[in-house]
Amino acid sequence: MKDKSRLESVDIAKGIGIILVVFAHTLVPQIRNTHNFAKFIWIFIYNFHMPLFLFLSGWLFEKNIHRYTDKGKFILGKLKLLIIPYITFSAFAYIFIAIASNISALTYVLQSGGYAPVGIKEAIYQIITYNSHIDQHLWFVFSLFIVFTVNILFPRIMKSKITLVILLGLYVSKAYVVYYGILNYTASDLFFFSLARALFSEQNQNAQERHLWKFIAAAVFIASNCAYSYFYVTQIPSDVIAKAALYITRCISSVSGIFTVCFISSYLSKSVISKPLKTVGLYSYDIYLMHAPFLVSGSMGILLSYLSLPYYIYSVLVLTIGVSLPYLISKFIIRKIPFLSVPILGRNYRTKVKTVQNVVSIN
């Protein structure tokens, strides 16, 4: 029963996480460049929402690792689940931009969002490397595949304390180095995944101590995230030491933010909103793949270009659409038709899927 409750909390955490993802994507550049508060909220969310999904993925991976005896089969499964949808949505993005660029009514919206068509060879190269990829939200599925592969090939090494220190150093190095293509994301993603593995089932504190740590984590999260977000909005320091300190602050805000969301999820598991959050969490992978960039960012771009209401009204409206529409389409159409669910979601939902296979935190 306790294990079931913990898994329900994971689904609730995913639900909270994906709502934050969609909301952050409603704060398009047109809004962030003209409203500092929106920019502050945007980076505040970005500091922990995707690390949360990587952490949950690592937690579920470690929980079920004893069942992954066939490494080749595991990698093949992740190739289908992650890379097939990555290729599908990448191809769709490039084709859509190429077509929409020839429609005068959409040209301004595309240009304001920074989208422009590219040639076929360049598109293929960008998809393979993720260097200058036109659909910027797909990094997660590509990077997560690499993270899974590294961890299944070197399971013990990747959760050791010395590896965590090295991965933390790799994370901080991004203050000075821009790694090529998808490696720029994987360089930081590995840390949060491995951290979850290292911490799995190691909490032996009594209830009072755990309760205290929840408040400490929340306090650290708010303080560190506000500090980093403030410097991001005002001016990122150029001093070498200051930049490292800022990245360490960001890492602290990410980790404490992860713990805070997990603690909140455990509290909400017994509340009236647990069921809708859990439902959203169970469809979080579907929502993630389908909501961006066109449904959310595109809708915001059109609304901002042709209407003049306050941006927060549009954000709430588009957030609702960005979460509910992919959920409804997936639940009632995509998951019921194999020739759609396989290329779009990497899985045939009409066949029985074992629970152990569901180790991607965003699904």
Side-chain angles (χ1 to χ4, degrees):
M1 182 64 69
K2 183 179 179 181
D3 188 59
K4 181 180 179 181
S5 176
R6 293 176 75 182
L7 289 175
E8 288 180 350
S9 295
V10 169
D11 289 330
I12 293 171
K14 291 191 293 183
I16 295 172
I18 196 62
I19 290 172
L20 291 173
V21 168
V22 178
F23 176 70
H25 285 161
T26 68
L27 302 177
V28 293
Q30 299 98 301
I31 295 175
R32 302 198 303 269
N33 294 337
T34 54
H35 299 85
N36 280 340
F37 179 72
K39 187 176 183 180
F40 179 90
I41 295 298
W42 176 76
I43 194 62
F44 189 94
I45 294 172
Y46 260 76
N47 281 347
F48 72 95
H49 70 346
M50 296 315 295
L52 169 67
F53 284 113
L54 288 154
F55 185 90
L56 295 176
S57 293
W59 189 90
L60 292 170
F61 176 86
E62 186 64 20
K63 180 179 183 299
N64 296 295
I65 194 171
H66 62 283
R67 306 189 187 191
Y68 307 142
T69 55
D70 189 334
K71 295 183 178 182
K73 184 178 180 180
F74 177 87
I75 295 174
L76 181 60
K78 294 293 164 264
L79 188 71
K80 294 177 180 177
L81 184 64
L82 297 169
I83 299 303
I84 289 179
Y86 170 76
I87 294 173
T88 299
F89 280 91
S90 293
F92 173 78
Y94 281 93
I95 293 171
F96 181 88
I97 293 297
I99 296 174
S101 297
N102 295 314
I103 301 175
S104 57
L106 297 177
T107 302
Y108 173 75
V109 176
L110 292 174
Q111 290 177 347
S112 62
Y115 297 106
V118 300
I120 296 178
K121 290 184 179 180
E122 187 177 357
I124 294 173
Y125 176 78
Q126 290 178 4
I127 292 173
I128 293 174
T129 63
Y130 205 80
N131 190 50
S132 302
H133 197 291
I134 205 169
D135 188 346
Q136 296 181 8
H137 91 292
L138 291 177
W139 66 267
F140 176 75
V141 289
F142 193 176
S143 182
L144 186 59
F145 171 73
I146 297 174
V147 171
F148 270 129
T149 301
V150 172
N151 275 269
I152 196 62
L153 292 177
F154 311 101
R156 293 184 179 180
I157 294 175
M158 292 306 298
K159 69 172 182 177
S160 68
K161 292 181 180 179
I162 188 171
T163 299
L164 278 176
V165 173
I166 294 172
L167 293 178
L168 178 59
L170 189 61
Y171 176 93
V172 176
S173 71
K174 289 184 63 179
Y176 315 101
V177 181
V178 177
Y179 295 97
Y180 188 79
I182 194 61
L183 297 179
N184 198 48
Y185 297 92
T186 310
S188 55
D189 295 347
L190 283 166
F191 172 75
F192 299 107
F193 192 96
S194 293
L195 178 64
R197 293 190 59 206
L199 294 178
F200 177 76
S201 70
E202 289 187 4
Q203 293 183 345
N204 298 316
Q205 301 97 335
N206 59 46
Q208 185 175 0
E209 288 176 332
R210 289 199 300 269
H211 191 66
L212 176 62
W213 277 109
K214 293 175 184 179
F215 284 102
I216 293 175
V220 171
F221 166 59
I222 293 173
S224 59
N225 209 348
C226 284
Y228 179 85
S229 300
Y230 170 78
F231 281 105
Y232 185 92
V233 172
T234 55
Q235 183 178 1
I236 297 177
S238 58
D239 181 78
V240 173
I241 297 177
K243 288 177 70 175
L246 195 61
Y247 249 74
I248 292 174
T249 302
R250 184 182 188 185
C251 186
I252 292 172
S253 73
S254 298
V255 174
S256 57
I258 290 168
F259 292 156
T260 301
V261 172
C262 291
F263 296 150
I264 291 173
S265 300
S266 65
Y267 281 122
L268 293 178
S269 62
K270 298 179 181 179
S271 69
V272 293
I273 64 172
S274 62
K275 186 174 181 180
L277 284 176
K278 181 181 176 182
T279 300
V280 172
L282 290 171
Y283 282 81
S284 56
Y285 187 47
D286 316 48
I287 295 170
Y288 184 84
L289 289 170
M290 288 187 276
H291 86 280
F294 308 114
L295 179 59
V296 171
S297 299
S299 296
M300 286 298 295
I302 292 172
L303 290 172
L304 292 170
S305 298
Y306 298 105
L307 297 176
S308 57
L309 292 175
Y311 73 88
Y312 50 82
I313 295 179
Y314 299 146
S315 290
V316 173
L317 174 62
V318 175
L319 168 64
T320 304
I321 295 172
V323 172
S324 60
L325 189 58
Y327 163 73
L328 293 172
I329 292 174
S330 182
K331 179 178 175 64
F332 296 106
I333 300 176
I334 295 176
R335 291 197 179 200
K336 294 183 180 297
I337 305 174
F339 75 82
L340 288 178
S341 66
V342 172
I344 293 177
L345 301 175
R347 178 181 293 165
N348 181 359
Y349 282 87
R350 296 192 66 178
T351 61
K352 186 176 181 180
V353 180
K354 296 181 180 179
T355 304
V356 67
Q357 293 176 326
N358 188 21
V359 297
V360 180
S361 75
I362 204 165
N363 186 15

PDB file of all heavy atoms in Angstrom, residues 39-65:
ATOM      1  N   LYS A  39       9.190  37.374 -17.253  1.00  0.00           N
ATOM      2  CA  LYS A  39      10.503  36.764 -17.466  1.00  0.00           C
ATOM      3  C   LYS A  39      11.007  36.107 -16.190  1.00  0.00           C
ATOM      4  O   LYS A  39      11.597  35.023 -16.215  1.00  0.00           O
ATOM      5  CB  LYS A  39      11.496  37.828 -17.943  1.00  0.00           C
ATOM      6  CG  LYS A  39      12.844  37.272 -18.366  1.00  0.00           C
ATOM      7  CD  LYS A  39      13.739  38.380 -18.918  1.00  0.00           C
ATOM      8  CE  LYS A  39      15.073  37.821 -19.406  1.00  0.00           C
ATOM      9  NZ  LYS A  39      15.946  38.900 -19.935  1.00  0.00           N
ATOM     10  N   PHE A  40      10.762  36.758 -15.050  1.00  0.00           N
ATOM     11  CA  PHE A  40      11.147  36.210 -13.747  1.00  0.00           C
ATOM     12  C   PHE A  40      10.417  34.898 -13.485  1.00  0.00           C
ATOM     13  O   PHE A  40      11.030  33.903 -13.082  1.00  0.00           O
ATOM     14  CB  PHE A  40      10.820  37.227 -12.647  1.00  0.00           C
ATOM     15  CG  PHE A  40      11.159  36.758 -11.259  1.00  0.00           C
ATOM     16  CD1 PHE A  40      12.403  37.011 -10.713  1.00  0.00           C
ATOM     17  CD2 PHE A  40      10.228  36.062 -10.499  1.00  0.00           C
ATOM     18  CE1 PHE A  40      12.724  36.579  -9.430  1.00  0.00           C
ATOM     19  CE2 PHE A  40      10.532  35.622  -9.216  1.00  0.00           C
ATOM     20  CZ  PHE A  40      11.782  35.885  -8.680  1.00  0.00           C
ATOM     21  N   ILE A  41       9.099  34.881 -13.698  1.00  0.00           N
ATOM     22  CA  ILE A  41       8.298  33.668 -13.485  1.00  0.00           C
ATOM     23  C   ILE A  41       8.747  32.565 -14.427  1.00  0.00           C
ATOM     24  O   ILE A  41       8.852  31.390 -14.049  1.00  0.00           O
ATOM     25  CB  ILE A  41       6.800  33.963 -13.694  1.00  0.00           C
ATOM     26  CG1 ILE A  41       6.300  34.942 -12.623  1.00  0.00           C
ATOM     27  CG2 ILE A  41       5.983  32.676 -13.668  1.00  0.00           C
ATOM     28  CD1 ILE A  41       6.397  34.417 -11.217  1.00  0.00           C
ATOM     29  N   TRP A  42       9.057  32.929 -15.659  1.00  0.00           N
ATOM     30  CA  TRP A  42       9.486  31.956 -16.676  1.00  0.00           C
ATOM     31  C   TRP A  42      10.764  31.243 -16.250  1.00  0.00           C
ATOM     32  O   TRP A  42      10.827  30.010 -16.261  1.00  0.00           O
ATOM     33  CB  TRP A  42       9.694  32.689 -17.999  1.00  0.00           C
ATOM     34  CG  TRP A  42      10.212  31.845 -19.112  1.00  0.00           C
ATOM     35  CD1 TRP A  42       9.527  30.932 -19.850  1.00  0.00           C
ATOM     36  CD2 TRP A  42      11.556  31.849 -19.635  1.00  0.00           C
ATOM     37  NE1 TRP A  42      10.347  30.356 -20.802  1.00  0.00           N
ATOM     38  CE2 TRP A  42      11.602  30.907 -20.690  1.00  0.00           C
ATOM     39  CE3 TRP A  42      12.703  32.569 -19.314  1.00  0.00           C
ATOM     40  CZ2 TRP A  42      12.759  30.663 -21.415  1.00  0.00           C
ATOM     41  CZ3 TRP A  42      13.857  32.320 -20.043  1.00  0.00           C
ATOM     42  CH2 TRP A  42      13.875  31.378 -21.081  1.00  0.00           C
ATOM     43  N   ILE A  43      11.775  32.003 -15.840  1.00  0.00           N
ATOM     44  CA  ILE A  43      13.031  31.360 -15.448  1.00  0.00           C
ATOM     45  C   ILE A  43      12.881  30.662 -14.108  1.00  0.00           C
ATOM     46  O   ILE A  43      13.527  29.636 -13.850  1.00  0.00           O
ATOM     47  CB  ILE A  43      14.186  32.397 -15.409  1.00  0.00           C
ATOM     48  CG1 ILE A  43      15.538  31.668 -15.354  1.00  0.00           C
ATOM     49  CG2 ILE A  43      14.041  33.344 -14.249  1.00  0.00           C
ATOM     50  CD1 ILE A  43      15.826  30.796 -16.542  1.00  0.00           C
ATOM     51  N   PHE A  44      12.020  31.176 -13.235  1.00  0.00           N
ATOM     52  CA  PHE A  44      11.747  30.530 -11.948  1.00  0.00           C
ATOM     53  C   PHE A  44      11.225  29.114 -12.175  1.00  0.00           C
ATOM     54  O   PHE A  44      11.659  28.159 -11.506  1.00  0.00           O
ATOM     55  CB  PHE A  44      10.719  31.351 -11.167  1.00  0.00           C
ATOM     56  CG  PHE A  44      10.526  30.902  -9.741  1.00  0.00           C
ATOM     57  CD1 PHE A  44      11.245  31.508  -8.721  1.00  0.00           C
ATOM     58  CD2 PHE A  44       9.630  29.901  -9.420  1.00  0.00           C
ATOM     59  CE1 PHE A  44      11.077  31.106  -7.395  1.00  0.00           C
ATOM     60  CE2 PHE A  44       9.448  29.491  -8.109  1.00  0.00           C
ATOM     61  CZ  PHE A  44      10.171  30.094  -7.096  1.00  0.00           C
ATOM     62  N   ILE A  45      10.310  28.953 -13.132  1.00  0.00           N
ATOM     63  CA  ILE A  45       9.756  27.636 -13.453  1.00  0.00           C
ATOM     64  C   ILE A  45      10.797  26.773 -14.152  1.00  0.00           C
ATOM     65  O   ILE A  45      10.959  25.590 -13.844  1.00  0.00           O
ATOM     66  CB  ILE A  45       8.498  27.779 -14.327  1.00  0.00           C
ATOM     67  CG1 ILE A  45       7.372  28.456 -13.537  1.00  0.00           C
ATOM     68  CG2 ILE A  45       8.029  26.419 -14.845  1.00  0.00           C
ATOM     69  CD1 ILE A  45       6.158  28.809 -14.372  1.00  0.00           C
ATOM     70  N   TYR A  46      11.516  27.365 -15.090  1.00  0.00           N
ATOM     71  CA  TYR A  46      12.497  26.611 -15.870  1.00  0.00           C
ATOM     72  C   TYR A  46      13.616  26.035 -15.010  1.00  0.00           C
ATOM     73  O   TYR A  46      14.235  25.042 -15.383  1.00  0.00           O
ATOM     74  CB  TYR A  46      13.098  27.499 -16.973  1.00  0.00           C
ATOM     75  CG  TYR A  46      12.487  27.252 -18.320  1.00  0.00           C
ATOM     76  CD1 TYR A  46      11.220  27.743 -18.623  1.00  0.00           C
ATOM     77  CD2 TYR A  46      13.145  26.514 -19.292  1.00  0.00           C
ATOM     78  CE1 TYR A  46      10.636  27.520 -19.853  1.00  0.00           C
ATOM     79  CE2 TYR A  46      12.577  26.280 -20.531  1.00  0.00           C
ATOM     80  CZ  TYR A  46      11.317  26.786 -20.804  1.00  0.00           C
ATOM     81  OH  TYR A  46      10.743  26.541 -22.029  1.00  0.00           O
ATOM     82  N   ASN A  47      13.879  26.641 -13.887  1.00  0.00           N
ATOM     83  CA  ASN A  47      14.968  26.173 -13.032  1.00  0.00           C
ATOM     84  C   ASN A  47      14.732  24.781 -12.469  1.00  0.00           C
ATOM     85  O   ASN A  47      15.690  24.112 -12.060  1.00  0.00           O
ATOM     86  CB  ASN A  47      15.193  27.152 -11.882  1.00  0.00           C
ATOM     87  CG  ASN A  47      15.990  28.362 -12.311  1.00  0.00           C
ATOM     88  OD1 ASN A  47      16.584  28.383 -13.387  1.00  0.00           O
ATOM     89  ND2 ASN A  47      15.989  29.386 -11.486  1.00  0.00           N
ATOM     90  N   PHE A  48      13.477  24.328 -12.416  1.00  0.00           N
ATOM     91  CA  PHE A  48      13.237  23.034 -11.772  1.00  0.00           C
ATOM     92  C   PHE A  48      12.232  22.131 -12.473  1.00  0.00           C
ATOM     93  O   PHE A  48      12.168  20.938 -12.157  1.00  0.00           O
ATOM     94  CB  PHE A  48      12.758  23.258 -10.323  1.00  0.00           C
ATOM     95  CG  PHE A  48      11.361  23.800 -10.201  1.00  0.00           C
ATOM     96  CD1 PHE A  48      10.281  22.945 -10.018  1.00  0.00           C
ATOM     97  CD2 PHE A  48      11.116  25.159 -10.270  1.00  0.00           C
ATOM     98  CE1 PHE A  48       8.992  23.441  -9.910  1.00  0.00           C
ATOM     99  CE2 PHE A  48       9.836  25.663 -10.148  1.00  0.00           C
ATOM    100  CZ  PHE A  48       8.771  24.801  -9.968  1.00  0.00           C
ATOM    101  N   HIS A  49      11.458  22.627 -13.441  1.00  0.00           N
ATOM    102  CA  HIS A  49      10.395  21.761 -13.949  1.00  0.00           C
ATOM    103  C   HIS A  49      10.903  20.570 -14.764  1.00  0.00           C
ATOM    104  O   HIS A  49      10.422  19.448 -14.590  1.00  0.00           O
ATOM    105  CB  HIS A  49       9.323  22.556 -14.703  1.00  0.00           C
ATOM    106  CG  HIS A  49       9.731  23.129 -16.025  1.00  0.00           C
ATOM    107  ND1 HIS A  49      11.036  23.227 -16.452  1.00  0.00           N
ATOM    108  CD2 HIS A  49       8.986  23.642 -17.029  1.00  0.00           C
ATOM    109  CE1 HIS A  49      11.063  23.758 -17.654  1.00  0.00           C
ATOM    110  NE2 HIS A  49       9.828  24.024 -18.030  1.00  0.00           N
ATOM    111  N   MET A  50      11.921  20.755 -15.605  1.00  0.00           N
ATOM    112  CA  MET A  50      12.448  19.615 -16.347  1.00  0.00           C
ATOM    113  C   MET A  50      13.408  18.767 -15.509  1.00  0.00           C
ATOM    114  O   MET A  50      13.411  17.534 -15.638  1.00  0.00           O
ATOM    115  CB  MET A  50      13.110  20.073 -17.646  1.00  0.00           C
ATOM    116  CG  MET A  50      12.150  20.714 -18.644  1.00  0.00           C
ATOM    117  SD  MET A  50      10.579  19.811 -18.849  1.00  0.00           S
ATOM    118  CE  MET A  50      11.125  18.278 -19.559  1.00  0.00           C
ATOM    119  N   PRO A  51      14.228  19.369 -14.620  1.00  0.00           N
ATOM    120  CA  PRO A  51      14.964  18.528 -13.682  1.00  0.00           C
ATOM    121  C   PRO A  51      14.046  17.623 -12.864  1.00  0.00           C
ATOM    122  O   PRO A  51      14.427  16.512 -12.507  1.00  0.00           O
ATOM    123  CB  PRO A  51      15.682  19.558 -12.791  1.00  0.00           C
ATOM    124  CG  PRO A  51      15.935  20.710 -13.702  1.00  0.00           C
ATOM    125  CD  PRO A  51      14.703  20.783 -14.563  1.00  0.00           C
ATOM    126  N   LEU A  52      12.834  18.095 -12.576  1.00  0.00           N
ATOM    127  CA  LEU A  52      11.861  17.267 -11.856  1.00  0.00           C
ATOM    128  C   LEU A  52      11.563  15.990 -12.637  1.00  0.00           C
ATOM    129  O   LEU A  52      11.571  14.882 -12.076  1.00  0.00           O
ATOM    130  CB  LEU A  52      10.571  18.056 -11.635  1.00  0.00           C
ATOM    131  CG  LEU A  52       9.367  17.259 -11.122  1.00  0.00           C
ATOM    132  CD1 LEU A  52       9.602  16.759  -9.696  1.00  0.00           C
ATOM    133  CD2 LEU A  52       8.093  18.110 -11.196  1.00  0.00           C
ATOM    134  N   PHE A  53      11.318  16.097 -13.933  1.00  0.00           N
ATOM    135  CA  PHE A  53      11.004  14.925 -14.748  1.00  0.00           C
ATOM    136  C   PHE A  53      12.201  13.980 -14.858  1.00  0.00           C
ATOM    137  O   PHE A  53      12.041  12.764 -14.865  1.00  0.00           O
ATOM    138  CB  PHE A  53      10.532  15.353 -16.141  1.00  0.00           C
ATOM    139  CG  PHE A  53       9.132  15.879 -16.159  1.00  0.00           C
ATOM    140  CD1 PHE A  53       8.873  17.202 -16.433  1.00  0.00           C
ATOM    141  CD2 PHE A  53       8.062  15.039 -15.893  1.00  0.00           C
ATOM    142  CE1 PHE A  53       7.577  17.693 -16.447  1.00  0.00           C
ATOM    143  CE2 PHE A  53       6.764  15.517 -15.910  1.00  0.00           C
ATOM    144  CZ  PHE A  53       6.516  16.846 -16.184  1.00  0.00           C
ATOM    145  N   LEU A  54      13.384  14.538 -14.946  1.00  0.00           N
ATOM    146  CA  LEU A  54      14.576  13.695 -14.995  1.00  0.00           C
ATOM    147  C   LEU A  54      14.780  12.963 -13.678  1.00  0.00           C
ATOM    148  O   LEU A  54      15.150  11.786 -13.659  1.00  0.00           O
ATOM    149  CB  LEU A  54      15.798  14.548 -15.326  1.00  0.00           C
ATOM    150  CG  LEU A  54      15.846  15.033 -16.779  1.00  0.00           C
ATOM    151  CD1 LEU A  54      16.645  16.313 -16.898  1.00  0.00           C
ATOM    152  CD2 LEU A  54      16.423  13.948 -17.681  1.00  0.00           C
ATOM    153  N   PHE A  55      14.534  13.646 -12.583  1.00  0.00           N
ATOM    154  CA  PHE A  55      14.645  13.031 -11.262  1.00  0.00           C
ATOM    155  C   PHE A  55      13.632  11.896 -11.108  1.00  0.00           C
ATOM    156  O   PHE A  55      13.972  10.804 -10.631  1.00  0.00           O
ATOM    157  CB  PHE A  55      14.417  14.099 -10.192  1.00  0.00           C
ATOM    158  CG  PHE A  55      14.617  13.609  -8.783  1.00  0.00           C
ATOM    159  CD1 PHE A  55      15.866  13.690  -8.179  1.00  0.00           C
ATOM    160  CD2 PHE A  55      13.563  13.080  -8.059  1.00  0.00           C
ATOM    161  CE1 PHE A  55      16.054  13.239  -6.877  1.00  0.00           C
ATOM    162  CE2 PHE A  55      13.746  12.628  -6.765  1.00  0.00           C
ATOM    163  CZ  PHE A  55      14.987  12.709  -6.159  1.00  0.00           C
ATOM    164  N   LEU A  56      12.394  12.128 -11.509  1.00  0.00           N
ATOM    165  CA  LEU A  56      11.360  11.091 -11.409  1.00  0.00           C
ATOM    166  C   LEU A  56      11.689   9.897 -12.311  1.00  0.00           C
ATOM    167  O   LEU A  56      11.438   8.748 -11.947  1.00  0.00           O
ATOM    168  CB  LEU A  56       9.996  11.676 -11.781  1.00  0.00           C
ATOM    169  CG  LEU A  56       9.452  12.763 -10.839  1.00  0.00           C
ATOM    170  CD1 LEU A  56       8.150  13.324 -11.387  1.00  0.00           C
ATOM    171  CD2 LEU A  56       9.261  12.216  -9.434  1.00  0.00           C
ATOM    172  N   SER A  57      12.260  10.186 -13.474  1.00  0.00           N
ATOM    173  CA  SER A  57      12.681   9.101 -14.373  1.00  0.00           C
ATOM    174  C   SER A  57      13.751   8.249 -13.710  1.00  0.00           C
ATOM    175  O   SER A  57      13.721   7.022 -13.771  1.00  0.00           O
ATOM    176  CB  SER A  57      13.227   9.672 -15.688  1.00  0.00           C
ATOM    177  OG  SER A  57      12.224  10.292 -16.433  1.00  0.00           O
ATOM    178  N   GLY A  58      14.725   8.915 -13.072  1.00  0.00           N
ATOM    179  CA  GLY A  58      15.786   8.192 -12.383  1.00  0.00           C
ATOM    180  C   GLY A  58      15.256   7.384 -11.215  1.00  0.00           C
ATOM    181  O   GLY A  58      15.705   6.257 -10.968  1.00  0.00           O
ATOM    182  N   TRP A  59      14.306   7.925 -10.493  1.00  0.00           N
ATOM    183  CA  TRP A  59      13.703   7.229  -9.354  1.00  0.00           C
ATOM    184  C   TRP A  59      13.003   5.947  -9.812  1.00  0.00           C
ATOM    185  O   TRP A  59      13.192   4.875  -9.223  1.00  0.00           O
ATOM    186  CB  TRP A  59      12.715   8.154  -8.650  1.00  0.00           C
ATOM    187  CG  TRP A  59      12.200   7.628  -7.343  1.00  0.00           C
ATOM    188  CD1 TRP A  59      12.740   7.820  -6.107  1.00  0.00           C
ATOM    189  CD2 TRP A  59      11.032   6.813  -7.141  1.00  0.00           C
ATOM    190  NE1 TRP A  59      11.986   7.178  -5.149  1.00  0.00           N
ATOM    191  CE2 TRP A  59      10.928   6.548  -5.758  1.00  0.00           C
ATOM    192  CE3 TRP A  59      10.071   6.284  -8.001  1.00  0.00           C
ATOM    193  CZ2 TRP A  59       9.905   5.786  -5.212  1.00  0.00           C
ATOM    194  CZ3 TRP A  59       9.047   5.522  -7.463  1.00  0.00           C
ATOM    195  CH2 TRP A  59       8.970   5.288  -6.087  1.00  0.00           C
ATOM    196  N   LEU A  60      12.213   6.057 -10.870  1.00  0.00           N
ATOM    197  CA  LEU A  60      11.494   4.889 -11.383  1.00  0.00           C
ATOM    198  C   LEU A  60      12.454   3.874 -12.007  1.00  0.00           C
ATOM    199  O   LEU A  60      12.244   2.668 -11.916  1.00  0.00           O
ATOM    200  CB  LEU A  60      10.441   5.323 -12.405  1.00  0.00           C
ATOM    201  CG  LEU A  60       9.270   6.129 -11.831  1.00  0.00           C
ATOM    202  CD1 LEU A  60       8.418   6.715 -12.951  1.00  0.00           C
ATOM    203  CD2 LEU A  60       8.413   5.262 -10.914  1.00  0.00           C
ATOM    204  N   PHE A  61      13.493   4.377 -12.651  1.00  0.00           N
ATOM    205  CA  PHE A  61      14.503   3.495 -13.234  1.00  0.00           C
ATOM    206  C   PHE A  61      15.167   2.660 -12.147  1.00  0.00           C
ATOM    207  O   PHE A  61      15.306   1.435 -12.274  1.00  0.00           O
ATOM    208  CB  PHE A  61      15.541   4.331 -13.975  1.00  0.00           C
ATOM    209  CG  PHE A  61      16.699   3.547 -14.536  1.00  0.00           C
ATOM    210  CD1 PHE A  61      16.615   2.954 -15.781  1.00  0.00           C
ATOM    211  CD2 PHE A  61      17.877   3.399 -13.805  1.00  0.00           C
ATOM    212  CE1 PHE A  61      17.686   2.229 -16.308  1.00  0.00           C
ATOM    213  CE2 PHE A  61      18.948   2.684 -14.315  1.00  0.00           C
ATOM    214  CZ  PHE A  61      18.850   2.092 -15.566  1.00  0.00           C
ATOM    215  N   GLU A  62      15.597   3.305 -11.072  1.00  0.00           N
ATOM    216  CA  GLU A  62      16.265   2.593  -9.984  1.00  0.00           C
ATOM    217  C   GLU A  62      15.309   1.631  -9.290  1.00  0.00           C
ATOM    218  O   GLU A  62      15.714   0.546  -8.853  1.00  0.00           O
ATOM    219  CB  GLU A  62      16.827   3.598  -8.981  1.00  0.00           C
ATOM    220  CG  GLU A  62      17.657   2.985  -7.873  1.00  0.00           C
ATOM    221  CD  GLU A  62      18.925   2.324  -8.392  1.00  0.00           C
ATOM    222  OE1 GLU A  62      19.370   2.654  -9.522  1.00  0.00           O
ATOM    223  OE2 GLU A  62      19.490   1.473  -7.670  1.00  0.00           O
ATOM    224  N   LYS A  63      14.058   2.001  -9.179  1.00  0.00           N
ATOM    225  CA  LYS A  63      13.059   1.157  -8.538  1.00  0.00           C
ATOM    226  C   LYS A  63      12.889  -0.173  -9.278  1.00  0.00           C
ATOM    227  O   LYS A  63      12.652  -1.220  -8.677  1.00  0.00           O
ATOM    228  CB  LYS A  63      11.716   1.879  -8.472  1.00  0.00           C
ATOM    229  CG  LYS A  63      10.579   1.086  -7.820  1.00  0.00           C
ATOM    230  CD  LYS A  63       9.309   1.913  -7.796  1.00  0.00           C
ATOM    231  CE  LYS A  63       8.209   1.146  -7.068  1.00  0.00           C
ATOM    232  NZ  LYS A  63       7.864  -0.130  -7.726  1.00  0.00           N
ATOM    233  N   ASN A  64      13.024  -0.129 -10.601  1.00  0.00           N
ATOM    234  CA  ASN A  64      12.772  -1.316 -11.416  1.00  0.00           C
ATOM    235  C   ASN A  64      14.022  -1.906 -12.060  1.00  0.00           C
ATOM    236  O   ASN A  64      13.921  -2.815 -12.886  1.00  0.00           O
ATOM    237  CB  ASN A  64      11.767  -0.975 -12.533  1.00  0.00           C
ATOM    238  CG  ASN A  64      10.410  -0.596 -12.001  1.00  0.00           C
ATOM    239  OD1 ASN A  64       9.700  -1.392 -11.396  1.00  0.00           O
ATOM    240  ND2 ASN A  64      10.015   0.664 -12.197  1.00  0.00           N
ATOM    241  N   ILE A  65      15.197  -1.414 -11.681  1.00  0.00           N
ATOM    242  CA  ILE A  65      16.407  -1.810 -12.390  1.00  0.00           C
ATOM    243  C   ILE A  65      16.682  -3.309 -12.296  1.00  0.00           C
ATOM    244  O   ILE A  65      17.300  -3.903 -13.188  1.00  0.00           O
ATOM    245  CB  ILE A  65      17.623  -1.003 -11.882  1.00  0.00           C
ATOM    246  CG1 ILE A  65      18.797  -1.174 -12.841  1.00  0.00           C
ATOM    247  CG2 ILE A  65      17.979  -1.384 -10.452  1.00  0.00           C
ATOM    248  CD1 ILE A  65      19.956  -0.248 -12.553  1.00  0.00           C
TER     249      ILE A  65
END
